[in-house]
Amino acid sequence: SAVISQKPSRDICQRGTSLTIQCQVDSQVTMMFWYRQQPGQSLTLIATANQGSEATYESGFVIDKFPISRPNLTFSTLTVSNMSPEDSSIYLCSVGGQDQPQHFGDGTRLSIL
Amino acid sequence: AQRVTQPEKLLSVFKGAPVELKCNYSYSGSPELFWYVQYSRQRLQLLLRHISRESIKGFTADLNKGETSFHLKKPFAQEEDSAMYYCALSQHNAGNMLTFGGGTRLMVKP
């Protein structure tokens, strides 16, 4: 399976600031996704990162808050904007393809003070 | 809308005992079901997918469309099986996006 590198692995940020999380894959992949895992909770899909076009967001998530880029088939970024303590979560990148199961990165543990 | 339910947040068993982690789903189409596992300090990783019909680390799971279930079973639990287990559902017509259950923490006691 593809090797997924996610950076940073963790960060502590001040409220009101923004953080960009990077996801790099060692091979071209069709699908890239971003999930959020709030403390003690399961994973929730934020959006599907579409190469060359705007991301597809799930209900409850908006582009202004979570802008996503996907400039090519091996890289994507998720920005968490104007952070508040409620954004403290683990953010995970995953990759997959048609008929291929998703594989996950290590995640980014984000704490907002 | 699709939904995945794992009724037990915590399951504690003794080593050598059988294990069954329950997963029920609701989805009007033809789903694909997965079990993912997260060991302590490790990334989330795929354990099983229903279409593979294989046994991984002694675990099996059978899709029961009549009961809309995909329970994970192992006849003899090992201490190294202690982890967080997530059941997930994929919709083929939605780009393979996953819907996760709430997760079950399995603790295998010596």
Side-chain angles (χ1 to χ4, degrees), chain B residues 42-107:
Chain B
Q42 295 187 28
R43 69 175 56 185
L44 190 66
Q45 55 188 281
L46 178 68
L47 181 64
L48 286 175
R49 59 190 300 197
H50 89 267
I51 63 172
S52 298
R53 294 186 163 274
E54 55 190 348
S55 173
I56 305 293
K57 299 184 180 183
F59 285 97
T60 58
D62 291 316
L63 179 62
N64 186 324
K65 292 188 177 181
E67 296 183 358
T68 59
S69 67
F70 188 56
H71 303 327
L72 184 67
K73 300 177 184 178
K74 185 169 183 177
F76 307 104
Q78 303 299 314
E79 289 182 70
E80 55 267 29
D81 296 327
S82 296
M84 195 73 185
Y85 291 80
Y86 294 96
C87 183
L89 178 153
S90 171
Q91 309 166 72
H92 282 291
N93 63 352
N96 280 13
M97 56 172 284
L98 287 174
T99 300
F100 282 85
T104 298
R105 179 168 298 281
L106 174 65
M107 292 180 57

Short mmCIF file of all heavy atoms in Angstrom, two decimals, chain B residues 42-107:
data_model
loop_
_atom_site.label_atom_id
_atom_site.label_comp_id
_atom_site.label_asym_id
_atom_site.label_seq_id
_atom_site.Cartn_x
_atom_site.Cartn_y
_atom_site.Cartn_z
N GLN B 42 -0.09 3.69 17.30
CA GLN B 42 0.09 3.36 15.89
C GLN B 42 -1.03 3.97 15.07
O GLN B 42 -2.04 4.40 15.60
CB GLN B 42 0.12 1.84 15.69
CG GLN B 42 1.31 1.16 16.33
CD GLN B 42 1.38 -0.31 15.96
OE1 GLN B 42 0.93 -0.72 14.88
NE2 GLN B 42 1.97 -1.10 16.85
N ARG B 43 -0.81 4.02 13.78
CA ARG B 43 -1.82 4.59 12.91
C ARG B 43 -2.99 3.62 12.73
O ARG B 43 -2.85 2.42 12.94
CB ARG B 43 -1.22 4.94 11.55
CG ARG B 43 -0.81 3.75 10.70
CD ARG B 43 -0.35 4.18 9.33
NE ARG B 43 0.75 5.14 9.39
CZ ARG B 43 1.27 5.73 8.32
NH1 ARG B 43 0.79 5.49 7.13
NH2 ARG B 43 2.27 6.59 8.44
N LEU B 44 -4.11 4.16 12.31
CA LEU B 44 -5.27 3.36 11.97
C LEU B 44 -4.92 2.49 10.75
O LEU B 44 -4.40 2.99 9.75
CB LEU B 44 -6.43 4.30 11.64
CG LEU B 44 -7.82 3.71 11.49
CD1 LEU B 44 -8.31 3.16 12.82
CD2 LEU B 44 -8.77 4.78 10.97
N GLN B 45 -5.20 1.21 10.85
CA GLN B 45 -4.86 0.33 9.74
C GLN B 45 -6.00 -0.63 9.43
O GLN B 45 -6.78 -0.98 10.30
CB GLN B 45 -3.57 -0.46 10.05
CG GLN B 45 -3.59 -1.26 11.33
CD GLN B 45 -2.24 -1.86 11.66
OE1 GLN B 45 -1.85 -2.88 11.09
NE2 GLN B 45 -1.53 -1.24 12.57
N LEU B 46 -6.06 -1.01 8.18
CA LEU B 46 -7.11 -1.91 7.73
C LEU B 46 -6.87 -3.30 8.30
O LEU B 46 -5.76 -3.84 8.21
CB LEU B 46 -7.11 -1.96 6.20
CG LEU B 46 -8.13 -2.91 5.57
CD1 LEU B 46 -9.55 -2.42 5.80
CD2 LEU B 46 -7.86 -3.04 4.07
N LEU B 47 -7.91 -3.89 8.86
CA LEU B 47 -7.83 -5.26 9.35
C LEU B 47 -8.51 -6.21 8.36
O LEU B 47 -7.90 -7.19 7.93
CB LEU B 47 -8.49 -5.37 10.73
CG LEU B 47 -8.48 -6.74 11.39
CD1 LEU B 47 -7.05 -7.19 11.69
CD2 LEU B 47 -9.31 -6.72 12.68
N LEU B 48 -9.75 -5.91 8.02
CA LEU B 48 -10.51 -6.80 7.15
C LEU B 48 -11.43 -5.98 6.24
O LEU B 48 -11.90 -4.92 6.62
CB LEU B 48 -11.42 -7.72 7.98
CG LEU B 48 -10.84 -8.90 8.75
CD1 LEU B 48 -11.95 -9.55 9.56
CD2 LEU B 48 -10.23 -9.90 7.79
N ARG B 49 -11.73 -6.54 5.07
CA ARG B 49 -12.80 -6.01 4.24
C ARG B 49 -13.68 -7.19 3.84
O ARG B 49 -13.16 -8.30 3.63
CB ARG B 49 -12.27 -5.27 3.01
CG ARG B 49 -11.43 -6.11 2.10
CD ARG B 49 -10.73 -5.29 1.03
NE ARG B 49 -11.63 -4.56 0.15
CZ ARG B 49 -11.27 -4.06 -1.03
NH1 ARG B 49 -10.03 -4.21 -1.46
NH2 ARG B 49 -12.13 -3.39 -1.78
N HIS B 50 -14.97 -6.99 3.77
CA HIS B 50 -15.87 -8.13 3.66
C HIS B 50 -15.72 -8.85 2.33
O HIS B 50 -15.88 -10.07 2.27
CB HIS B 50 -17.33 -7.72 3.90
CG HIS B 50 -18.08 -7.29 2.67
ND1 HIS B 50 -18.15 -5.97 2.28
CD2 HIS B 50 -18.78 -8.00 1.76
CE1 HIS B 50 -18.87 -5.89 1.18
NE2 HIS B 50 -19.26 -7.10 0.84
N ILE B 51 -15.35 -8.15 1.29
CA ILE B 51 -15.29 -8.82 -0.01
C ILE B 51 -14.07 -9.75 -0.10
O ILE B 51 -14.03 -10.61 -0.97
CB ILE B 51 -15.28 -7.82 -1.17
CG1 ILE B 51 -14.03 -6.93 -1.13
CG2 ILE B 51 -16.54 -6.98 -1.17
CD1 ILE B 51 -13.89 -6.06 -2.35
N SER B 52 -13.11 -9.58 0.82
CA SER B 52 -11.91 -10.42 0.76
C SER B 52 -12.16 -11.80 1.36
O SER B 52 -11.48 -12.75 1.01
CB SER B 52 -10.77 -9.75 1.50
OG SER B 52 -10.43 -8.53 0.90
N ARG B 53 -13.10 -11.84 2.29
CA ARG B 53 -13.44 -13.12 2.94
C ARG B 53 -12.20 -13.83 3.48
O ARG B 53 -12.05 -15.04 3.31
CB ARG B 53 -14.19 -14.02 1.98
CG ARG B 53 -15.57 -13.50 1.58
CD ARG B 53 -16.32 -14.51 0.74
NE ARG B 53 -17.74 -14.20 0.71
CZ ARG B 53 -18.61 -14.61 1.62
NH1 ARG B 53 -18.21 -15.35 2.62
NH2 ARG B 53 -19.88 -14.29 1.52
N GLU B 54 -11.30 -13.09 4.07
CA GLU B 54 -10.09 -13.73 4.58
C GLU B 54 -10.02 -13.57 6.10
O GLU B 54 -10.78 -12.82 6.71
CB GLU B 54 -8.86 -13.10 3.92
CG GLU B 54 -8.78 -11.60 4.09
CD GLU B 54 -7.69 -10.97 3.22
OE1 GLU B 54 -6.85 -11.70 2.67
OE2 GLU B 54 -7.70 -9.74 3.09
N SER B 55 -9.10 -14.32 6.69
CA SER B 55 -8.87 -14.23 8.12
C SER B 55 -7.54 -13.55 8.34
O SER B 55 -6.52 -13.95 7.79
CB SER B 55 -8.85 -15.63 8.73
OG SER B 55 -8.47 -15.58 10.09
N ILE B 56 -7.55 -12.48 9.12
CA ILE B 56 -6.34 -11.73 9.43
C ILE B 56 -6.10 -11.78 10.92
O ILE B 56 -7.00 -11.44 11.71
CB ILE B 56 -6.46 -10.26 8.98
CG1 ILE B 56 -6.81 -10.18 7.49
CG2 ILE B 56 -5.17 -9.52 9.27
CD1 ILE B 56 -5.74 -10.66 6.56
N LYS B 57 -4.93 -12.22 11.33
CA LYS B 57 -4.58 -12.32 12.76
C LYS B 57 -5.63 -13.14 13.52
O LYS B 57 -5.90 -12.89 14.69
CB LYS B 57 -4.43 -10.94 13.39
CG LYS B 57 -3.33 -10.10 12.74
CD LYS B 57 -3.13 -8.78 13.45
CE LYS B 57 -2.01 -8.00 12.77
NZ LYS B 57 -1.72 -6.73 13.46
N GLY B 58 -6.25 -14.10 12.85
CA GLY B 58 -7.23 -14.96 13.49
C GLY B 58 -8.63 -14.38 13.52
O GLY B 58 -9.57 -15.04 13.98
N PHE B 59 -8.79 -13.14 13.05
CA PHE B 59 -10.10 -12.49 13.03
C PHE B 59 -10.83 -12.80 11.73
O PHE B 59 -10.22 -12.85 10.66
CB PHE B 59 -9.96 -10.96 13.14
CG PHE B 59 -9.62 -10.47 14.50
CD1 PHE B 59 -8.30 -10.18 14.85
CD2 PHE B 59 -10.61 -10.27 15.46
CE1 PHE B 59 -7.99 -9.71 16.12
CE2 PHE B 59 -10.31 -9.79 16.72
CZ PHE B 59 -9.00 -9.52 17.05
N THR B 60 -12.14 -12.96 11.85
CA THR B 60 -13.01 -13.09 10.68
C THR B 60 -14.23 -12.21 10.88
O THR B 60 -14.58 -11.84 12.02
CB THR B 60 -13.48 -14.54 10.48
OG1 THR B 60 -14.18 -14.97 11.67
CG2 THR B 60 -12.32 -15.47 10.20
N ALA B 61 -14.87 -11.88 9.78
CA ALA B 61 -16.11 -11.10 9.84
C ALA B 61 -16.95 -11.48 8.65
O ALA B 61 -16.45 -11.51 7.52
CB ALA B 61 -15.81 -9.60 9.84
N ASP B 62 -18.19 -11.75 8.90
CA ASP B 62 -19.12 -12.12 7.83
C ASP B 62 -20.21 -11.07 7.71
O ASP B 62 -20.82 -10.67 8.71
CB ASP B 62 -19.76 -13.49 8.11
CG ASP B 62 -18.76 -14.62 8.00
OD1 ASP B 62 -17.97 -14.60 7.03
OD2 ASP B 62 -18.75 -15.50 8.88
N LEU B 63 -20.45 -10.67 6.48
CA LEU B 63 -21.51 -9.70 6.22
C LEU B 63 -22.85 -10.43 6.21
O LEU B 63 -23.04 -11.37 5.42
CB LEU B 63 -21.27 -9.00 4.88
CG LEU B 63 -22.32 -7.97 4.46
CD1 LEU B 63 -22.38 -6.82 5.46
CD2 LEU B 63 -22.03 -7.45 3.06
N ASN B 64 -23.75 -10.01 7.07
CA ASN B 64 -25.09 -10.59 7.13
C ASN B 64 -26.07 -9.51 6.69
O ASN B 64 -26.43 -8.63 7.47
CB ASN B 64 -25.39 -11.05 8.57
CG ASN B 64 -26.72 -11.79 8.67
OD1 ASN B 64 -27.68 -11.44 7.99
ND2 ASN B 64 -26.76 -12.79 9.51
N LYS B 65 -26.48 -9.60 5.44
CA LYS B 65 -27.33 -8.54 4.89
C LYS B 65 -28.73 -8.58 5.51
O LYS B 65 -29.38 -7.54 5.64
CB LYS B 65 -27.42 -8.67 3.37
CG LYS B 65 -26.10 -8.35 2.69
CD LYS B 65 -26.24 -8.29 1.18
CE LYS B 65 -24.93 -7.91 0.51
NZ LYS B 65 -25.03 -7.83 -0.96
N GLY B 66 -29.18 -9.77 5.92
CA GLY B 66 -30.50 -9.86 6.53
C GLY B 66 -30.55 -9.14 7.86
O GLY B 66 -31.53 -8.46 8.18
N GLU B 67 -29.48 -9.27 8.63
CA GLU B 67 -29.41 -8.60 9.93
C GLU B 67 -28.65 -7.29 9.86
O GLU B 67 -28.47 -6.64 10.89
CB GLU B 67 -28.75 -9.53 10.96
CG GLU B 67 -29.54 -10.81 11.22
CD GLU B 67 -28.88 -11.68 12.29
OE1 GLU B 67 -27.80 -11.31 12.79
OE2 GLU B 67 -29.45 -12.73 12.61
N THR B 68 -28.21 -6.91 8.68
CA THR B 68 -27.37 -5.70 8.47
C THR B 68 -26.28 -5.63 9.53
O THR B 68 -26.14 -4.62 10.25
CB THR B 68 -28.21 -4.41 8.45
OG1 THR B 68 -28.92 -4.25 9.68
CG2 THR B 68 -29.18 -4.44 7.29
N SER B 69 -25.51 -6.72 9.61
CA SER B 69 -24.45 -6.77 10.61
C SER B 69 -23.13 -7.21 9.95
O SER B 69 -23.13 -7.84 8.89
CB SER B 69 -24.81 -7.73 11.74
OG SER B 69 -24.85 -9.07 11.27
N PHE B 70 -22.06 -6.88 10.64
CA PHE B 70 -20.71 -7.25 10.18
C PHE B 70 -19.85 -7.42 11.43
O PHE B 70 -18.90 -6.70 11.67
CB PHE B 70 -20.15 -6.18 9.24
CG PHE B 70 -18.86 -6.55 8.56
CD1 PHE B 70 -18.76 -7.71 7.80
CD2 PHE B 70 -17.75 -5.73 8.66
CE1 PHE B 70 -17.57 -8.04 7.16
CE2 PHE B 70 -16.56 -6.06 8.02
CZ PHE B 70 -16.47 -7.21 7.28
N HIS B 71 -20.20 -8.41 12.22
CA HIS B 71 -19.52 -8.61 13.51
C HIS B 71 -18.13 -9.20 13.30
O HIS B 71 -17.93 -10.09 12.46
CB HIS B 71 -20.35 -9.53 14.41
CG HIS B 71 -21.75 -9.03 14.66
ND1 HIS B 71 -22.07 -7.69 14.75
CD2 HIS B 71 -22.91 -9.72 14.86
CE1 HIS B 71 -23.36 -7.55 14.98
NE2 HIS B 71 -23.90 -8.77 15.05
N LEU B 72 -17.19 -8.77 14.11
CA LEU B 72 -15.81 -9.24 14.07
C LEU B 72 -15.61 -10.29 15.15
O LEU B 72 -15.96 -10.07 16.30
CB LEU B 72 -14.85 -8.07 14.29
CG LEU B 72 -13.36 -8.36 14.17
CD1 LEU B 72 -12.99 -8.72 12.74
CD2 LEU B 72 -12.56 -7.15 14.65
N LYS B 73 -15.04 -11.43 14.75
CA LYS B 73 -14.92 -12.55 15.69
C LYS B 73 -13.51 -13.11 15.70
O LYS B 73 -12.80 -13.09 14.68
CB LYS B 73 -15.91 -13.66 15.31
CG LYS B 73 -17.35 -13.24 15.32
CD LYS B 73 -18.26 -14.38 14.86
CE LYS B 73 -19.70 -13.94 14.78
NZ LYS B 73 -20.60 -15.00 14.30
N LYS B 74 -13.15 -13.61 16.88
CA LYS B 74 -11.89 -14.34 17.02
C LYS B 74 -12.12 -15.40 18.08
O LYS B 74 -12.62 -15.10 19.16
CB LYS B 74 -10.75 -13.42 17.40
CG LYS B 74 -9.40 -14.14 17.45
CD LYS B 74 -8.25 -13.16 17.58
CE LYS B 74 -6.93 -13.91 17.54
NZ LYS B 74 -5.76 -13.00 17.58
N PRO B 75 -11.76 -16.66 17.81
CA PRO B 75 -12.09 -17.72 18.76
C PRO B 75 -11.28 -17.66 20.05
O PRO B 75 -11.79 -18.02 21.12
CB PRO B 75 -11.80 -19.01 17.98
CG PRO B 75 -10.90 -18.59 16.87
CD PRO B 75 -11.22 -17.17 16.55
N PHE B 76 -10.03 -17.18 19.97
CA PHE B 76 -9.18 -17.17 21.15
C PHE B 76 -8.41 -15.85 21.20
O PHE B 76 -7.47 -15.65 20.43
CB PHE B 76 -8.19 -18.34 21.13
CG PHE B 76 -8.82 -19.68 20.91
CD1 PHE B 76 -8.75 -20.31 19.69
CD2 PHE B 76 -9.51 -20.31 21.95
CE1 PHE B 76 -9.35 -21.54 19.48
CE2 PHE B 76 -10.12 -21.55 21.75
CZ PHE B 76 -10.04 -22.16 20.52
N ALA B 77 -8.82 -14.97 22.07
CA ALA B 77 -8.20 -13.64 22.14
C ALA B 77 -6.78 -13.72 22.69
O ALA B 77 -6.48 -14.53 23.58
CB ALA B 77 -9.05 -12.72 23.01
N GLN B 78 -5.92 -12.85 22.18
CA GLN B 78 -4.55 -12.71 22.65
C GLN B 78 -4.35 -11.31 23.23
O GLN B 78 -5.04 -10.36 22.83
CB GLN B 78 -3.57 -12.94 21.50
CG GLN B 78 -3.71 -14.28 20.81
CD GLN B 78 -3.46 -15.43 21.75
OE1 GLN B 78 -2.48 -15.42 22.53
NE2 GLN B 78 -4.32 -16.44 21.73
N GLU B 79 -3.39 -11.18 24.13
CA GLU B 79 -3.16 -9.87 24.74
C GLU B 79 -2.82 -8.81 23.69
O GLU B 79 -3.22 -7.65 23.83
CB GLU B 79 -2.05 -9.96 25.78
CG GLU B 79 -2.44 -10.71 27.03
CD GLU B 79 -1.32 -10.74 28.06
OE1 GLU B 79 -1.03 -9.68 28.63
OE2 GLU B 79 -0.76 -11.83 28.27
N GLU B 80 -2.12 -9.22 22.65
CA GLU B 80 -1.73 -8.26 21.61
C GLU B 80 -2.91 -7.80 20.75
O GLU B 80 -2.76 -6.92 19.90
CB GLU B 80 -0.62 -8.83 20.72
CG GLU B 80 -0.95 -10.17 20.09
CD GLU B 80 -0.45 -11.34 20.92
OE1 GLU B 80 -0.36 -11.22 22.16
OE2 GLU B 80 -0.14 -12.39 20.31
N ASP B 81 -4.07 -8.40 20.96
CA ASP B 81 -5.27 -7.93 20.26
C ASP B 81 -5.87 -6.68 20.90
O ASP B 81 -6.78 -6.07 20.33
CB ASP B 81 -6.35 -9.03 20.23
CG ASP B 81 -5.91 -10.26 19.46
OD1 ASP B 81 -5.16 -10.10 18.46
OD2 ASP B 81 -6.32 -11.37 19.84
N SER B 82 -5.39 -6.33 22.06
CA SER B 82 -5.91 -5.13 22.74
C SER B 82 -5.67 -3.90 21.87
O SER B 82 -4.54 -3.60 21.49
CB SER B 82 -5.21 -4.94 24.09
OG SER B 82 -5.50 -6.01 24.95
N ALA B 83 -6.75 -3.22 21.52
CA ALA B 83 -6.67 -2.10 20.59
C ALA B 83 -8.06 -1.48 20.47
O ALA B 83 -9.03 -1.95 21.06
CB ALA B 83 -6.19 -2.56 19.21
N MET B 84 -8.10 -0.42 19.65
CA MET B 84 -9.38 0.20 19.30
C MET B 84 -9.80 -0.33 17.95
O MET B 84 -8.98 -0.33 17.00
CB MET B 84 -9.19 1.72 19.25
CG MET B 84 -10.47 2.51 19.27
SD MET B 84 -11.20 2.47 20.91
CE MET B 84 -12.74 3.33 20.54
N TYR B 85 -11.04 -0.78 17.83
CA TYR B 85 -11.53 -1.35 16.59
C TYR B 85 -12.69 -0.51 16.05
O TYR B 85 -13.63 -0.18 16.77
CB TYR B 85 -12.01 -2.79 16.82
CG TYR B 85 -10.88 -3.75 17.12
CD1 TYR B 85 -10.33 -3.82 18.39
CD2 TYR B 85 -10.36 -4.57 16.12
CE1 TYR B 85 -9.27 -4.68 18.67
CE2 TYR B 85 -9.32 -5.45 16.40
CZ TYR B 85 -8.79 -5.49 17.66
OH TYR B 85 -7.75 -6.35 17.93
N TYR B 86 -12.59 -0.18 14.77
CA TYR B 86 -13.62 0.62 14.12
C TYR B 86 -14.22 -0.15 12.95
O TYR B 86 -13.50 -0.67 12.09
CB TYR B 86 -13.06 1.93 13.58
CG TYR B 86 -12.57 2.89 14.63
CD1 TYR B 86 -11.23 2.94 14.99
CD2 TYR B 86 -13.46 3.76 15.26
CE1 TYR B 86 -10.79 3.84 15.95
CE2 TYR B 86 -13.02 4.66 16.22
CZ TYR B 86 -11.68 4.68 16.55
OH TYR B 86 -11.24 5.57 17.51
N CYS B 87 -15.53 -0.21 12.91
CA CYS B 87 -16.25 -0.74 11.77
C CYS B 87 -16.57 0.44 10.84
O CYS B 87 -16.89 1.55 11.31
CB CYS B 87 -17.54 -1.40 12.25
SG CYS B 87 -18.52 -2.19 10.97
N ALA B 88 -16.45 0.22 9.54
CA ALA B 88 -16.67 1.32 8.60
C ALA B 88 -17.40 0.81 7.36
O ALA B 88 -17.24 -0.35 6.96
CB ALA B 88 -15.35 1.97 8.20
N LEU B 89 -18.16 1.71 6.76
CA LEU B 89 -18.96 1.39 5.58
C LEU B 89 -18.57 2.32 4.44
O LEU B 89 -18.36 3.52 4.65
CB LEU B 89 -20.44 1.57 5.93
CG LEU B 89 -21.52 1.35 4.86
CD1 LEU B 89 -22.82 0.93 5.55
CD2 LEU B 89 -21.77 2.57 4.01
N SER B 90 -18.46 1.74 3.26
CA SER B 90 -18.10 2.51 2.07
C SER B 90 -19.23 2.44 1.06
O SER B 90 -19.83 1.38 0.87
CB SER B 90 -16.82 1.96 1.46
OG SER B 90 -16.56 2.54 0.21
N GLN B 91 -19.46 3.58 0.42
CA GLN B 91 -20.46 3.63 -0.64
C GLN B 91 -19.74 3.72 -1.97
O GLN B 91 -19.03 4.67 -2.22
CB GLN B 91 -21.33 4.86 -0.48
CG GLN B 91 -21.91 5.05 0.89
CD GLN B 91 -22.45 6.46 1.03
OE1 GLN B 91 -23.48 6.78 0.44
NE2 GLN B 91 -21.78 7.29 1.79
N HIS B 92 -19.91 2.73 -2.80
CA HIS B 92 -19.19 2.73 -4.07
C HIS B 92 -19.56 3.91 -4.95
O HIS B 92 -18.73 4.42 -5.68
CB HIS B 92 -19.47 1.43 -4.82
CG HIS B 92 -18.69 0.28 -4.29
ND1 HIS B 92 -17.33 0.20 -4.42
CD2 HIS B 92 -19.06 -0.80 -3.60
CE1 HIS B 92 -16.90 -0.92 -3.84
NE2 HIS B 92 -17.92 -1.54 -3.33
N ASN B 93 -20.78 4.36 -4.86
CA ASN B 93 -21.19 5.42 -5.76
C ASN B 93 -20.89 6.80 -5.19
O ASN B 93 -21.35 7.79 -5.69
CB ASN B 93 -22.69 5.30 -6.06
CG ASN B 93 -23.54 5.48 -4.81
OD1 ASN B 93 -23.01 5.55 -3.71
ND2 ASN B 93 -24.83 5.55 -4.98
N ALA B 94 -20.13 6.86 -4.13
CA ALA B 94 -19.79 8.16 -3.53
C ALA B 94 -18.29 8.27 -3.36
O ALA B 94 -17.82 8.85 -2.38
CB ALA B 94 -20.51 8.34 -2.21
N GLY B 95 -17.55 7.72 -4.30
CA GLY B 95 -16.11 7.85 -4.25
C GLY B 95 -15.44 7.14 -3.11
O GLY B 95 -14.38 7.54 -2.68
N ASN B 96 -16.06 6.10 -2.63
CA ASN B 96 -15.46 5.30 -1.58
C ASN B 96 -15.31 6.01 -0.24
O ASN B 96 -14.51 5.62 0.58
CB ASN B 96 -14.08 4.77 -2.01
CG ASN B 96 -14.20 3.57 -2.91
OD1 ASN B 96 -15.27 3.27 -3.39
ND2 ASN B 96 -13.11 2.88 -3.12
N MET B 97 -16.07 7.07 -0.01
CA MET B 97 -15.98 7.72 1.29
C MET B 97 -16.45 6.74 2.37
O MET B 97 -17.31 5.91 2.15
CB MET B 97 -16.86 8.97 1.32
CG MET B 97 -18.31 8.74 0.97
SD MET B 97 -19.31 10.20 1.24
CE MET B 97 -19.44 10.19 3.01
N LEU B 98 -15.82 6.84 3.54
CA LEU B 98 -16.09 5.93 4.64
C LEU B 98 -16.93 6.59 5.72
O LEU B 98 -16.69 7.74 6.09
CB LEU B 98 -14.78 5.45 5.27
CG LEU B 98 -13.94 4.45 4.48
CD1 LEU B 98 -12.61 4.22 5.18
CD2 LEU B 98 -14.67 3.14 4.30
N THR B 99 -17.89 5.82 6.22
CA THR B 99 -18.63 6.21 7.42
C THR B 99 -18.22 5.25 8.53
O THR B 99 -18.32 4.03 8.36
CB THR B 99 -20.14 6.11 7.18
OG1 THR B 99 -20.50 6.99 6.12
CG2 THR B 99 -20.90 6.49 8.44
N PHE B 100 -17.74 5.81 9.64
CA PHE B 100 -17.21 5.01 10.74
C PHE B 100 -18.23 4.85 11.85
O PHE B 100 -19.03 5.74 12.13
CB PHE B 100 -15.96 5.66 11.32
CG PHE B 100 -14.72 5.45 10.50
CD1 PHE B 100 -14.42 6.29 9.44
CD2 PHE B 100 -13.86 4.40 10.77
CE1 PHE B 100 -13.28 6.09 8.68
CE2 PHE B 100 -12.72 4.19 10.02
CZ PHE B 100 -12.44 5.04 8.96
N GLY B 101 -18.15 3.68 12.52
CA GLY B 101 -18.85 3.51 13.77
C GLY B 101 -18.08 4.20 14.88
O GLY B 101 -16.98 4.73 14.67
N GLY B 102 -18.65 4.18 16.07
CA GLY B 102 -18.07 4.88 17.19
C GLY B 102 -16.82 4.24 17.77
O GLY B 102 -16.10 4.85 18.54
N GLY B 103 -16.58 2.99 17.40
CA GLY B 103 -15.39 2.31 17.87
C GLY B 103 -15.65 1.49 19.12
O GLY B 103 -16.50 1.84 19.96
N THR B 104 -14.91 0.39 19.26
CA THR B 104 -14.95 -0.45 20.46
C THR B 104 -13.52 -0.68 20.92
O THR B 104 -12.67 -1.11 20.13
CB THR B 104 -15.60 -1.82 20.18
OG1 THR B 104 -16.95 -1.62 19.77
CG2 THR B 104 -15.57 -2.69 21.43
N ARG B 105 -13.29 -0.37 22.18
CA ARG B 105 -11.96 -0.66 22.75
C ARG B 105 -11.97 -2.07 23.30
O ARG B 105 -12.77 -2.41 24.17
CB ARG B 105 -11.59 0.34 23.85
CG ARG B 105 -10.22 0.05 24.45
CD ARG B 105 -9.73 1.19 25.33
NE ARG B 105 -9.57 2.43 24.60
CZ ARG B 105 -8.52 2.72 23.83
NH1 ARG B 105 -7.56 1.84 23.67
NH2 ARG B 105 -8.45 3.89 23.23
N LEU B 106 -11.10 -2.91 22.76
CA LEU B 106 -10.95 -4.29 23.23
C LEU B 106 -9.78 -4.38 24.19
O LEU B 106 -8.67 -3.96 23.85
CB LEU B 106 -10.74 -5.24 22.05
CG LEU B 106 -10.44 -6.70 22.40
CD1 LEU B 106 -11.63 -7.34 23.10
CD2 LEU B 106 -10.08 -7.50 21.16
N MET B 107 -10.04 -4.88 25.36
CA MET B 107 -8.98 -5.12 26.34
C MET B 107 -8.93 -6.62 26.61
O MET B 107 -9.93 -7.22 27.03
CB MET B 107 -9.26 -4.36 27.63
CG MET B 107 -9.17 -2.86 27.49
SD MET B 107 -9.51 -1.98 29.03
CE MET B 107 -8.31 -2.70 30.13
#
